[in-house]
Amino acid sequence: MSQSSTAIFGARRDQAFPTLAEVDIDRMRRFGEAAAYAAGEPIIKAGDVAPGLILVLSGKVDITQDGGLGRRETIVTHGPGSFVGELAQLSARPSLVNAEAAEPVEAFVIPSQRVRDLMVQEANLGERIMRALILRRVGLLESATSGPIIIGPSDNADVLRLQGFLARSGQPHRVLDSASDPCAKTLVERFDVDPHHLPVVLCPNGRLLRNPTEKDLARCIGLLRPIDADTLYDVAIVGAGPAGLAAAVYAASEGLSTIVLDCRAFGGQAGASSRIENYLGFPTGITGMALMARAYNQAQKFGVEMVIPDEAKLLSAATDKSGARYLLDVGDGETVRARSVVIASGARYRRLDVANLTQFEGTSVHYWASPIEGRLCAGQEVALVGAGNSAGQAAVYLASHAHKVVLLARGGSLEASMSRYLVERIRAQPNIEVLTETEIEALEGEGGNLATVRWRNRVSGEETTRPIRHLFLFIGADPNTDWLAQCNVTLDAKGFIRTGSELGPAHGLMETSLGGVFAIGDVRCGSVKRVAAAVGEGAQVVAALHAYLAQTKS
């Protein structure tokens, strides 16, 4: 194992690369088929779908990752009792690493579907394997060597957009600054890329994409696969936030065939939270990304089909006799056929009512505070607008990176809308300045980069202008229900979905005005806007799904 890999895994190396006992190997044999590889034979190539989890019985297998410009770095050498694979093999996605037989190898291969069977049927052994797969992915993320390479100016809006998408999707990647990185300059010359056409993305399979959409990038790296038009799902879930993922885990674990769609990435707004400290069972807190990544992996463990990023555009009744009750039209002319639907599409971030806001979005105006934004504003003074828990969490997080954080709130105090522990923590931070009764008046800058922010005290009328290059907006959200405009789903005056008793006694709990279509989480009228409440509704709706499917079973 290389020095860099040793440093990344540290004390967790034995958990990431366990050697299984003979009794464990015997328990796994019924899930796989025998295989043999000659010395020097490539077993897995980065960018290709691996045959599955490969358990080594004899011989050695070298696992390497591409270091750029033809270089390869060894991560680990697997010997007898070790297994080849990481999270990509759980859902038959393309491999992020290479595997080659260092000497003649005897093994057996467990296909992805059977890996999931193994984890369910052999719980203790499955737990060890799952932990190893997760830790290996964490190691790849920390090494920032595997996966696609984004090449472009480090502060370019599209570079940040693509980097943010991959980070929130849990995908290892590299970002090379085209202005300063010699490898980036070499790749730009090799592929004859005009600097004006940056950014470009080099996928593990060798394809070069020129400023791709998130969907194009996801298809290139195998994260997004075509939808099988012949498959009929018991339930289609729109939205992969806490509510949607909870519904997916409980539905799939109880035997319902489940598909989840999301137009951005898994995790929703919760996934962008720098730290969640009031979620039951995590006394030291947990980042939203870590919590949602666990739920995402858990759903895949039970066989949930993830279609991310892909956007539901129209919900309509099915007219065929196949058993499908509803059709979901998504991007690229594809259709999902389902017997029931759960709408967990969450909310959209509210935008500041400032005339030139759009020109700074993506480069200087941000709607979440992740490590990417933390690096961008290191050592600077930044402004943050908002007075809810998300704003408080972001302010505390940014204070650990920025020289100063100015927190602007329209109300007279933070206590009315923010949890007490966050208010106390903000007060304890010497580099957070709280300005109440204050709102943004104007943004100034050029070339898409913010230079100054002007705000006004609503009581005194006093205006202040400061040289600020990054502005963070946490001013709430509106229900993401525009796509339901032609779907006959009843909404309230604010655009939230009405469910249950609000519609009359004939409608079940969380059921919308359409039978067999349910709404959960932030998008539902009357829901409690908390992660725990969303997860609870996701679990609760599965009972309603079972009852509906039992009634309509043909």
Side-chain angles (χ1 to χ4, degrees):
M1 191 174 191
S2 68
Q3 288 296 318
S4 61
S5 297
T6 301
I8 290 169
F9 289 102
R12 299 177 296 177
R13 186 187 187 284
D14 289 342
Q15 296 182 55
F17 303 108
T19 299
L20 302 179
E22 191 61 39
V23 63
D24 294 326
I25 294 173
D26 288 341
R27 288 160 61 192
M28 295 173 66
R29 287 182 184 274
R30 64 189 177 95
F31 297 96
E33 297 180 356
Y37 306 96
E41 180 180 351
I43 301 174
I44 302 172
K45 182 181 178 182
D48 293 343
V49 177
L53 205 69
I54 301 173
L55 181 60
V56 180
L57 301 178
S58 66
K60 294 181 179 180
V61 177
D62 287 333
I63 305 299
T64 62
Q65 58 186 353
D66 296 320
L69 300 179
R71 295 182 292 106
R72 284 192 174 181
E73 300 176 358
T74 300
I75 300 174
V76 67
T77 297
H78 288 301
S82 300
F83 56 88
V84 178
E86 61 94 43
L87 282 176
Q89 279 66 67
L90 189 61
S91 55
R93 256 66 179 189
S95 177
L96 296 168
V97 298
N98 308 291
E100 182 177 298
E103 56 187 56
V105 171
E106 296 292 331
F108 64 86
V109 178
I110 305 177
S112 294
Q113 175 59 50
R114 296 294 283 161
V115 171
R116 297 193 291 269
D117 293 339
L118 164 65
M119 290 184 175
V120 171
Q121 297 175 30
E122 298 285 351
N124 292 334
L125 182 55
E127 178 184 345
R128 293 174 61 195
I129 294 172
M130 188 68 176
R131 182 182 295 112
L133 300 183
I134 292 172
L135 287 174
R136 292 177 187 184
R137 173 60 63 91
V138 170
L140 293 175
L141 287 167
E142 292 177 351
S143 70
T145 302
S146 299
I149 303 172
I150 304 172
I151 303 166
S154 59
D155 59 351
N156 177 276
D158 288 311
V159 169
L160 297 175
R161 170 179 61 83
L162 296 170
Q163 184 182 7
F165 166 70
L166 291 172
R168 292 194 64 182
S169 300
Q171 294 297 306
H173 61 281
R174 279 175 287 172
V175 180
L176 303 182
D177 190 338
S178 57
S180 60
D181 191 289
C183 291
K185 293 179 180 179
T186 300
L187 289 170
V188 167
E189 292 174 0
R190 175 182 295 179
F191 289 98
D192 192 26
V193 178
D194 188 310
H196 295 94
H197 294 160
L198 294 173
V200 295
V201 180
L202 181 61
C203 297
N205 60 12
R207 285 187 59 198
L208 185 76
L209 304 179
R210 299 174 188 270
N211 194 16
T213 64
E214 288 91 334
K215 183 180 292 187
D216 289 339
L217 176 54
R219 289 201 186 281
C220 189
I221 64 177
L223 189 62
L224 180 62
R225 297 181 293 210
I227 295 172
D228 185 357
D230 295 327
T231 299
L232 173 60
Y233 293 93
D234 290 323
V235 57
I237 300 173
V238 182
L245 289 177
V249 168
Y250 282 98
S253 67
E254 295 181 15
L256 300 181
S257 58
T258 307
I259 186 171
V260 174
L261 303 97
D262 197 288
C263 61
R264 292 182 181 87
F266 68 81
Q269 294 187 67
S273 177
S274 56
R275 181 160 296 274
I276 299 173
E277 295 187 69
N278 56 359
Y279 188 73
L280 188 67
F282 292 91
T284 59
I286 184 172
T287 67
M289 180 63 188
L291 182 64
M292 293 297 98
R294 293 182 185 190
Y296 177 74
N297 294 331
Q298 191 175 16
Q300 291 186 97
K301 167 186 172 180
F302 290 116
V304 174
E305 179 65 25
M306 294 291 182
V307 183
I308 305 174
D310 216 344
E311 185 175 10
K313 296 183 176 180
L314 182 67
L315 170 65
S316 58
T319 56
D320 58 33
K321 298 181 180 180
S322 64
R325 299 276 296 184
Y326 291 101
L327 303 178
L328 274 169
D329 292 344
V330 298
D332 301 325
E334 295 182 307
T335 301
V336 174
R337 300 165 61 247
R339 298 175 63 199
S340 63
V341 175
V342 173
I343 302 172
S345 49
R348 301 184 307 271
Y349 295 107
R350 286 187 188 139
R351 302 171 71 249
L352 200 64
D353 187 17
V354 176
N356 60 346
L357 179 72
T358 303
Q359 73 180 75
F360 301 116
E361 288 179 318
T363 54
S364 300
V365 173
H366 313 281
Y367 295 89
W368 51 82
S370 74
I372 296 173
E373 289 74 35
R375 289 191 294 270
L376 283 175
C377 65
Q380 302 178 32
E381 178 177 339
V382 303
L384 186 151
V385 183
N389 280 358
S390 295
Q393 292 160 354
V396 172
Y397 173 75
L398 290 171
S400 65
H401 294 272
H403 171 68
K404 183 177 182 179
V405 177
V406 182
L407 177 59
L408 310 175
R410 294 184 75 252
S413 70
L414 298 180
E415 283 82 352
S417 53
M418 188 181 295
S419 294
R420 182 176 177 181
Y421 79 93
L422 281 171
V423 175
E424 293 177 351
R425 187 167 298 166
I426 287 171
R427 286 173 177 166
Q429 302 299 315
N431 62 334
I432 298 181
E433 178 184 5
V434 178
L435 300 178
T436 57
E437 300 283 2
T438 303
E439 56 189 8
I440 298 288
E441 283 287 292
L443 308 176
E444 296 181 358
E446 58 183 21
N449 294 308
L450 189 63
T452 62
V453 177
R454 187 171 80 246
W455 55 77
R456 181 179 64 87
N457 183 282
R458 300 169 63 227
V459 177
S460 67
E462 180 184 358
E463 292 190 350
T464 302
T465 301
R466 287 193 185 172
I468 288 176
R469 295 168 53 194
H470 292 281
L471 173 65
F472 293 82
L473 301 180
F474 290 83
I475 53 177
D478 297 313
N480 185 16
T481 53
D482 289 351
W483 66 282
L484 293 170
Q486 301 177 14
C487 303
N488 296 319
V489 173
T490 302
L491 310 178
D492 70 3
K494 295 182 179 180
F496 291 93
I497 300 175
R498 300 179 64 191
T499 60
S501 59
E502 287 192 345
L503 297 167
H507 295 274
L509 185 67
M510 287 181 268
E511 189 174 32
T512 71
S513 53
L514 297 178
V517 177
F518 303 84
I520 58 175
D522 288 359
V523 77
R524 188 178 68 84
C525 176
S527 66
V528 178
K529 306 302 188 279
R530 289 288 187 272
V531 173
V535 171
E537 290 192 10
Q540 194 175 10
V541 77
V542 175
L545 285 172
H546 279 300
Y548 172 78
L549 293 173
Q551 293 173 0
T552 58
K553 188 174 182 180
S554 54

